[in-house]
Amino acid sequence: MGQHGVVDDLRAAARGALAASRRLSEHAAGEVSMFGSEAGQSTDMAAGERAAMTHSWLFTGPPGSGRSVAATSFAAALQCHSESDLGCGECRACTTVMNRTHADVRHVVPQGLSLSVAEIRDVVQAAARRPATGRWQIVVVEDADRLTEAAANALLKVVEEPPERTVFLLCAPSVDPEDISVTLKSRCRHVALAIAPAADIERVLVERDGIDQANAAWAASVCGGHIGRAKRLATDQAAREQRLAALGLARAAAVPARAYAAAEELVKSAEDAAKAINEQRNEAEVEELMTAFGAGGTGKGTARATRGSAGAIKDLERRQKSRATRTSRDVLDLALMDLAGLFRDALVVASGARVTAMHPDQAEQVAGLAGYASSRQLLACMDAVLECREVLDYNVKPKFAVDAMVAKIGQALAR
């Protein structure tokens, strides 16, 4: 949505990749690489391909901009069977890629707070093989900003000298060194995505998800450009209540008797939301694991097999706990962004600027804040929220981080 220039660039790259794939198929291994030919061969065609396609890509954009969707769609275009309309969305290659069942497209998604070097090494080893059914082996690394230093170094080695039929698609919030290492970024072609306009999000909610016009328009206006969140706000009462609870912290922080109780409620609501999001998936994973170990089976050896599952179940529980922590932090981060947006709207009103509001449905509360606090006080409140987000990245307990934030907001708003 609203990424027409990016779409054109990726289509051109997919056409270049198709030409490169044909060249690799026509020549014996070692005679030609994806980027050009060996000495003595013409490089005219190779120069055009270099401009269109590369082995490693970096998709950046704020949450909700569709980084992983764009990377997956590009992977579908690279594998597409319809050479006249790459990325047709209808052939078997496109549908399996988009459904994440294609044998030659791997998604690396952090289940916990980070991506470990062991996970990266495993996927790099698998990606070094020749494609089984597609043109390329493709690795999509979602949330590449969660790579540990060792994992980033392991990925860098293969990105610098990639197998000729392997493509890496990395996704990160930005090119800031805190999100992606400078060296790794320098080895990738950059694709910058922007936040989708509210009108485009509204249209998708109505046409794709069947949400009524009024509800879709409201959700699109308050989601911060995050289409996934817009859908949750439009369809999930709990998500709407959590947003209001986060916005309510602005008032609660100014009342010492209420501030810390409101902070505790916000942290608990994030934990409850994470539990609800993961509960069904956790149950399915445990059931699948137990079935693999013979649970429910009959006959000789099944009891012994089930007894041997204790270690595997313990490891699964550890991974599920890590995923729950990450989900809780992500939900809390969205709440903090809502709160920062409220102070930002108040600052806009106080300064008389004409900027689209992040919370247009909270005009009364925003006007009250703008009339109560000075611009300097509102900036101090925003700084407190953003500092809370930063310390959460360093694994500070959410309760302590949010309590400290509420105390600083209370001090900033004190008269």
Side-chain angles (χ1 to χ4, degrees):
M1 298 181 297
Q3 313 283 358
H4 304 298
V6 170
V7 171
D8 291 341
D9 289 344
L10 294 179
R11 280 178 174 162
R15 288 192 292 270
L18 175 60
S21 176
R22 286 171 175 166
R23 281 159 49 81
L24 286 172
S25 299
E26 291 170 357
H27 294 267
E31 282 189 287
V32 66
S33 72
M34 180 176 174
F35 297 107
S37 52
E38 294 295 323
Q41 295 184 18
S42 171
T43 59
D44 292 342
M45 187 177 188
E49 290 172 10
R50 275 200 303 273
M53 182 61 188
T54 183
H55 272 293
S56 49
W57 295 73
L58 174 61
F59 292 78
T60 65
S65 58
R67 300 185 303 255
S68 60
V69 173
T72 303
S73 299
F74 183 45
L78 293 177
Q79 304 285 28
C80 183
H81 292 160
S82 174
E83 298 185 358
S84 61
D85 183 22
L86 293 174
C88 67
E90 299 177 356
C91 69
R92 179 173 177 78
C94 283
T95 55
T96 53
V97 171
M98 297 309 296
N99 290 329
R100 302 197 175 195
T101 57
H102 195 287
D104 296 321
V105 179
R106 291 172 174 78
H107 287 260
V108 184
V109 185
Q111 298 300 310
L113 296 175
S114 62
L115 276 169
S116 69
V117 65
E119 292 175 278
I120 293 301
R121 283 174 178 163
D122 287 344
V123 76
V124 163
Q125 185 177 12
R129 303 169 188 155
R130 290 186 63 81
T133 60
R135 297 189 186 96
W136 310 99
Q137 281 279 8
I138 300 176
V139 178
V140 181
V141 182
E142 299 184 23
D143 298 327
D145 55 305
R146 296 180 187 267
L147 288 164
T148 63
E149 184 177 354
N153 289 336
L155 185 59
L156 176 62
K157 289 179 181 178
V158 71
V159 166
E160 287 180 327
E161 298 181 10
E164 62 182 8
R165 283 193 177 272
T166 303
V167 178
F168 292 92
L169 310 178
L170 314 184
C171 305
S174 73
V175 294
D176 189 286
E178 290 189 3
D179 287 334
I180 194 84
S181 77
V182 175
T183 312
L184 190 54
K185 174 219 160 193
S186 68
R187 302 297 190 272
C188 301
R189 181 170 170 181
H190 183 208
V191 178
L193 302 175
I195 292 177
D200 288 348
I201 296 176
E202 178 185 344
R203 186 178 68 254
V204 169
L205 293 178
V206 172
E207 296 177 358
R208 186 193 69 184
D209 301 315
I211 296 170
D212 66 274
Q213 191 80 42
N215 199 12
W218 168 79
S221 70
V222 301
C223 70
H226 195 309
I227 186 169
R229 189 166 189 234
K231 182 179 179 181
R232 286 195 298 275
L233 287 170
T235 59
D236 186 353
Q237 179 63 29
R240 293 192 287 271
E241 290 174 356
Q242 186 179 36
R243 171 177 174 267
L244 292 177
L247 298 178
L249 267 181
R251 280 201 188 102
V255 184
R258 173 66 183 141
Y260 295 104
E264 188 172 338
E265 289 171 7
L266 180 65
V267 173
K268 187 177 184 303
S269 69
E271 293 172 348
D272 291 343
K275 183 178 179 181
I277 291 171
N278 289 318
E279 197 168 44
Q280 188 173 0
R281 182 177 179 183
N282 289 349
E283 291 176 0
E285 287 177 342
V286 171
E287 184 178 350
E288 183 180 351
L289 180 63
M290 293 304 295
T291 301
F293 274 94
T298 59
K300 215 171 189 182
T302 55
R304 185 183 304 166
T306 306
R307 285 197 300 271
S309 65
I313 291 176
K314 187 175 181 179
D315 181 63
L316 177 61
E317 289 174 345
R318 177 187 59 77
R319 286 187 280 113
Q320 289 178 341
K321 183 178 179 181
S322 179
R323 184 171 64 212
T325 301
R326 180 205 165 187
T327 305
S328 177
R329 297 282 175 89
D330 288 347
V331 172
L332 182 57
D333 188 66
L334 282 174
L336 294 176
M337 288 301 295
D338 280 338
L339 183 58
L342 187 73
F343 288 122
R344 174 262 192 193
D345 284 354
L347 183 61
V348 166
V349 171
S351 62
R354 295 185 178 180
V355 182
T356 302
M358 293 184 69
H359 301 290
D361 61 335
Q362 300 296 314
E364 184 177 344
Q365 184 178 0
V366 167
L369 264 175
Y372 177 84
S374 66
S375 296
R376 185 174 180 179
Q377 288 175 303
L378 293 171
L379 279 171
C381 291
M382 290 179 65
D383 286 341
V385 178
L386 298 178
E387 184 180 346
C388 180
R389 294 184 68 221
E390 288 180 7
V391 300
L392 285 171
D393 284 339
Y394 292 101
N395 290 331
V396 174
K397 284 187 176 295
K399 181 183 185 313
F400 299 153
V402 176
D403 280 352
M405 176 194 74
V406 166
K408 290 176 181 176
I409 292 175
Q411 291 171 1
L413 294 177
R415 294 199 170 196

